[in-house]
Amino acid sequence: MPETTALTPRQLRDHTYPLLLAVTDRGTKGRPGFTYARPVGEDLVEFLAHRDGDDLRLLHDDEVATVGAAELFTLARERLRLLPFESSECVQQDGGEFHVLRGATELTAGKLVLLPEVLRSVLGVATETPAGLLVSVPTPHELVCAPVAGDLPATLLYLARYTLMTYEQSRRPLSPVTYWWHEGVLTPVVTMDEDGMVDFHLPPAFLDAAS
């Protein structure tokens, strides 16, 4: 296997992006060399990846240390903001409504860490969402979201159903979890266990915010 060419600080600053992976993806769980990575929600981890054309390579601790994790994460997220979505679909069913934002690159799901700016810039939804958002990333190429408003039971049901179906049918699944994003914190509200059983977890704070 050929050695990886060392990246310069300029290359790291100019071509690094956030990349969301499930905790078990690519053998990163419990593996040394990625101590800089940040947990996101219950089953996701935010890594830094160097992009060369369509190729992405995870950065290791020693590479990140060349510039510094804090600076690289800041630069990477700013660069991710500039990546466009290819399409935006509004799904409506029985009173529920949610949005599916899709992109060509597997970096797309990483925009989860940019909420609620995504809704403002892409959908024109105000950033003032006092009750929070329902969000999910069933594949690396999708971000699914809906403000907590209107017919919440229908929106939660159909958004969670879409997330689980897309996750199970995808060749590259990412996460089956539907989260409640509120004041920068992700709380799982719909999960799937190892046996494929679906569980709803509706904390009192979520029900109070939605009332």
Side-chain angles (χ1 to χ4, degrees):
M1 182 176 180
E3 289 189 16
T4 301
T5 303
L7 299 170
T8 66
R10 178 65 179 272
Q11 289 173 316
L12 289 167
R13 289 186 173 98
D14 290 351
H15 301 285
T16 294
Y17 290 81
L19 178 65
L20 284 189
L21 296 176
V23 254
T24 55
D25 275 1
R26 302 188 185 179
T28 53
K29 186 177 182 180
R31 178 178 169 185
F34 299 100
T35 61
Y36 72 84
R38 299 174 174 180
V40 178
E42 181 175 86
D43 63 339
L44 298 167
V45 181
E46 182 185 13
F47 290 86
L48 292 170
H50 179 260
R51 188 184 192 189
D52 184 2
D54 293 330
D55 295 328
L56 291 169
R57 179 175 70 78
L58 293 183
L59 298 179
H60 289 79
D61 284 334
D62 56 347
E63 295 174 297
V64 173
T66 302
V67 174
E71 181 179 350
L72 272 186
F73 269 112
T74 298
L75 292 172
R77 289 185 176 190
E78 288 300 322
R79 190 168 295 108
L80 183 63
R81 280 185 171 90
L82 302 178
L83 281 183
F85 290 104
E86 285 199 326
S87 66
S88 171
E89 177 186 4
C90 180
V91 180
Q92 297 176 318
Q93 187 171 6
D94 296 339
E97 178 178 301
F98 59 92
H99 302 274
V100 182
L101 308 173
R102 299 185 178 94
T105 170
E106 62 187 285
L107 297 167
T108 302
K111 294 205 176 206
L112 176 67
V113 303
L114 300 179
L115 293 172
E117 294 96 323
V118 169
L119 290 185
R120 180 183 61 185
S121 62
V122 178
L123 304 175
V125 178
T127 56
E128 290 74 22
T129 52
L133 308 164
L134 292 172
V135 293
S136 68
V137 282
T139 78
H141 297 270
E142 292 186 357
L143 173 62
V144 184
C145 53
V148 175
D151 191 340
L152 179 62
T155 295
L156 176 59
L157 175 63
Y158 291 114
L159 188 153
R161 179 182 294 175
Y162 174 88
T163 298
L164 292 166
M165 290 179 59
T166 304
Y167 173 84
E168 291 182 324
Q169 294 172 6
S170 174
R171 295 180 180 178
R172 288 285 312 281
L174 182 55
S175 170
V177 179
T178 294
Y179 287 99
W180 173 44
W181 180 97
H182 188 241
E183 297 181 348
V185 178
L186 287 168
T187 302
V189 290
V190 183
T191 61
M192 183 172 66
D193 63 23
E194 295 179 354
D195 297 322
M197 300 298 292
V198 177
D199 292 319
F200 283 77
H201 312 272
L202 305 181
F206 171 73
L207 297 174
D208 289 343
S211 62

